[in-house]
Amino acid sequence: MKLHKITFALSALALAAASFSANAAVVFQNLGTAAPPTSIGGYALTPFSLAPQNAIPDFSSISTIPGNPGAGVLGISPQAIKYPFSALGATWGQGYNGPLYATASTSTLTLPPNTHAFYFYTLVNAWGTSTFTATSDSGTNSGPISVSPNALGGPDSANGVAFYSTAGESISSITVTTSSSNGLIFAEFGIDTGPTTTCASSGYSGTQLLWCVKICESGLTGKALDDWIHRWIRQYRQLPYCAAGGNPPPV
């Protein structure tokens, strides 16, 4: 009976591991017109610094946006024109008053390496109600998001868009499209500066720490991720913190 219970428990863990592996994904979250979050999906978020952005000459064409608190730069394609806030931002919102970047109706943000969570705010460069759609390189899609800039300087209008990974996957790019021929305006970027919960903070050490990092923080997917999860289960008879939804004590 005891052996049967152990076998059943391990089978349940294996099924949970398979589900975790299969459901590892990039998730979209609509931030609306609210202020930027300080964390999302278990990742701490830090806004881009405005100082290097302010240093870009106004009305110049740029292909990279500086200010990332970590390594790497944010790319934008096609090139965008940098505007001072006073030129375009009367209805932006969230207390933001930094540079704005106007670009084409289909534009791609290329994220810094090893990005696991990212947000930005955007408007369609037209008065009246318009929609835009954001899609990550993984295929995760926001669906149409409605924005309503007001020529008279009305309420907050810029809409926040966030994507985050659920099992350490990196997010490489986000493409935004609108049917308006006037294009898009981007600003107010933020990026993950590390998970709020980590293998180390969960108390793992030694081999268990190394294996946990492989599963939860290395960006593995597919069979490679599945193999490490099953190796973990065979050794420790439980799931690591990121698969179990919490912080289990080390064995």
Side-chain angles (χ1 to χ4, degrees):
M1 178 62 71
K2 183 176 181 180
L3 178 61
H4 174 73
K5 288 182 178 179
I6 293 174
T7 301
F8 179 79
L10 290 178
S11 296
L13 283 172
L15 287 172
S19 176
F20 170 71
S21 179
N23 291 323
V26 172
V27 177
F28 163 74
Q29 185 165 325
N30 189 343
L31 303 179
T33 59
T38 57
S39 66
I40 192 170
Y43 295 95
L45 296 168
T46 301
F48 274 39
S49 172
L50 293 182
Q53 297 182 51
N54 287 327
I56 300 171
D58 291 339
F59 311 110
S60 60
S61 296
I62 55 101
S63 57
T64 59
I65 298 171
N68 177 20
V73 296
L74 175 65
I76 186 165
S77 177
Q79 287 189 326
I81 298 175
K82 182 250 183 171
Y83 285 88
F85 186 82
S86 59
L88 298 174
T91 67
W92 192 265
Q94 300 87 48
Y96 180 81
N97 60 2
L100 303 171
Y101 303 93
T103 186
S105 299
T106 296
S107 299
T108 298
L109 297 171
T110 302
L111 308 187
N114 301 314
T115 297
H116 303 108
F118 183 80
Y119 71 77
F120 62 94
Y121 285 74
T122 191
L123 279 179
V124 178
N125 192 11
W127 303 122
T129 300
S130 302
T131 62
F132 70 86
T133 301
T135 307
S136 75
D137 60 285
S138 69
T140 301
N141 187 286
S142 68
I145 297 174
S146 179
V147 287
S148 300
N150 187 327
L152 301 178
D156 294 355
S157 297
N159 199 104
V161 169
F163 289 88
Y164 64 91
S165 65
T166 60
E169 308 96 325
S170 293
I171 307 171
S172 298
S173 65
I174 299 169
T175 297
V176 185
T177 62
T178 179
S179 60
S180 172
S181 60
N182 293 324
L184 298 153
I185 305 173
F186 293 104
E188 206 171 359
F189 310 97
I191 195 168
D192 68 286
T193 47
T196 55
T197 300
T198 66
C199 294
S201 72
S202 297
Y204 301 124
S205 62
T207 299
Q208 195 174 31
L209 175 60
L210 295 176
W211 289 14
C212 177
V213 170
K214 282 285 188 182
I215 295 169
C216 300
E217 298 166 14
S218 297
L220 294 177
T221 58
K223 185 177 184 302
L225 175 62
D226 187 65
D227 287 347
W228 276 105
I229 293 172
H230 282 85
R231 182 179 300 181
W232 175 283
I233 291 171
R234 288 193 298 270
Q235 180 69 27
Y236 300 115
R237 304 296 192 269
Q238 63 171 345
L239 291 169
Y241 83 87
C242 60
N247 299 296
V251 176

